[in-house]
Amino acid sequence: MESWGQSNPLISFSRFIHQHCVRLGTHFENSTKQFITLHQQHFYPQSLFSSFIHPKHALAATSTLTPNHVANSLTGTKVYTVSNSNNEFVLISDSPDGAKSIGLLCFRQEDAEAFLSQVRSRKGELRGKARVVPITLDQVYMLKVEGIAFRFLPDPIQIKNALEMRAASNKGGFDGVPVFQSDLLVVKKKNKRYCPVYFSKEDIEKELSLVSRRGPGVSQHIMVGSLEDVLKKMEVSEKNSGWEDLIFIPPGKSHSQHIQEIDA
């Protein structure tokens, strides 16, 4: 993998993100001081996404979910990073001495393009060779299982949405990649239960408007959490506990469209 060595372009890139996000307001600005990794040790509160856990499932629990099962739930969602001509990740230093390097994964392609500009300006030999490439979250998860560290750069609009929802429920700030869920959207197909989890609040609101007759109040039925915490909870949950029913819906898609594609 191509590393930045002892220089730390994350500082300059963070300044760019700060300038981009400051327009969203001081509250949002304060919440994006740091990027969140898949290795965070926060666990999901018992009350959050509690509708996923059905009592009858718990009785039949046997063993924990496998990495492949967790990875499969992430199939189809793309993030973006920068690679060199050999399709190797361009890494950034994550410590003052440059001893630890990580990959940066952006949920928006335009943020990855900004990262690419930083790469080209600071690492001359990569100027004409580095490029933005997509990688799916299931691939990212399996790389994480192998010990490769990444940091996510969430969509700032979804961070703003998550902060607004937390503020409305009198809760504090928000860390991680926002994901959204509603028990009104749990579906069964071919004797299998699906609990869709969305990366976009706008997507889940659109879905709820189609299935709910509750009018403008559909947002009241949306729960917000972080991708990192949900994955941690899945990793320690047992089979038949309900957490294996989670399926992450790529931005811009409906749950019915995504389920049809993965079952094809």
Side-chain angles (χ1 to χ4, degrees):
M1 293 193 181
E2 189 76 30
S3 176
W4 283 89
Q6 302 221 358
S7 63
N8 193 350
L10 186 58
I11 296 175
S12 296
F13 192 59
S14 296
R15 292 196 187 104
F16 164 81
I17 295 301
H18 170 78
Q19 293 168 0
H20 176 74
C21 293
V22 71
R23 296 191 299 271
L24 298 178
T26 303
H27 186 47
F28 175 38
E29 171 190 334
N30 291 337
S31 73
T32 54
K33 292 183 294 183
Q34 60 182 356
F35 302 119
I36 311 300
T37 74
L38 271 175
H39 297 281
Q40 277 192 301
Q41 297 301 311
H42 301 307
F43 282 83
Y44 229 62
Q46 186 66 28
S47 60
L48 199 55
F49 285 14
S50 58
S51 59
F52 289 171
I53 310 303
H54 195 285
K56 70 178 181 181
H57 293 313
L59 297 175
T62 53
S63 58
T64 56
L65 301 182
T66 66
N68 281 337
H69 189 111
V70 178
N72 287 340
S73 71
L74 295 162
T75 298
T77 297
K78 293 180 181 179
V79 290
Y80 301 89
T81 190
V82 174
S83 74
N84 62 19
S85 58
N86 295 323
N87 289 324
E88 298 168 327
F89 294 117
V90 173
L91 304 180
I92 57 177
S93 297
D94 193 38
S95 58
D97 59 2
K100 180 182 178 183
S101 295
I102 60 172
L104 184 64
L105 301 171
C106 305
F107 273 78
R108 300 193 313 175
Q109 187 170 353
E110 54 261 47
D111 292 334
E113 295 288 351
F115 179 38
L116 175 61
S117 296
Q118 292 289 327
V119 170
R120 287 174 170 169
S121 66
R122 288 176 172 266
K123 211 163 177 64
E125 65 270 25
L126 288 177
R127 186 160 294 154
K129 301 176 182 178
R131 61 195 177 98
V132 171
V133 294
I135 180 172
T136 57
L137 281 181
D138 55 308
Q139 294 173 310
V140 172
Y141 183 80
M142 295 309 294
L143 289 172
K144 176 254 181 183
V145 170
E146 295 174 9
I148 300 176
F150 295 97
R151 289 184 186 269
F152 284 132
L153 184 62
D155 182 339
I157 299 300
Q158 301 311 319
I159 289 285
K160 179 175 180 288
N161 287 336
L163 285 171
E164 289 175 347
M165 291 182 65
R166 297 279 289 181
S169 58
N170 297 317
K171 296 180 180 178
F174 187 89
D175 287 337
V177 177
V179 289
F180 306 89
Q181 185 266 344
S182 173
D183 55 7
L184 297 179
L185 294 175
V186 175
V187 297
K188 283 189 176 181
K189 183 179 180 182
K190 297 180 180 178
N191 296 321
K192 180 172 174 56
R193 185 171 179 259
Y194 295 94
C195 296
V197 180
Y198 297 79
F199 292 97
S200 166
K201 183 171 180 278
E202 291 75 17
D203 286 347
I204 192 172
E205 287 177 334
K206 182 179 179 180
E207 295 269 76
L208 284 170
S209 69
L210 298 176
V211 302
S212 174
R213 298 179 181 179
R214 304 174 194 239
V218 294
S219 293
Q220 299 175 3
H221 302 277
I222 299 174
M223 293 178 284
V224 62
S226 77
L227 172 64
E228 294 84 354
D229 285 348
V230 172
L231 293 180
K232 274 292 181 185
K233 183 61 179 178
M234 293 179 72
E235 289 169 354
V236 300
S237 294
E238 297 178 321
K239 293 180 180 178
N240 301 315
S241 65
W243 286 89
E244 76 277 9
D245 299 333
L246 269 61
I247 179 172
F248 294 88
I249 310 301
K253 289 189 177 181
S254 67
H255 68 269
S256 58
Q257 178 185 3
H258 183 59
I259 291 172
Q260 182 176 2
E261 290 175 354
I262 63 176
D263 284 347

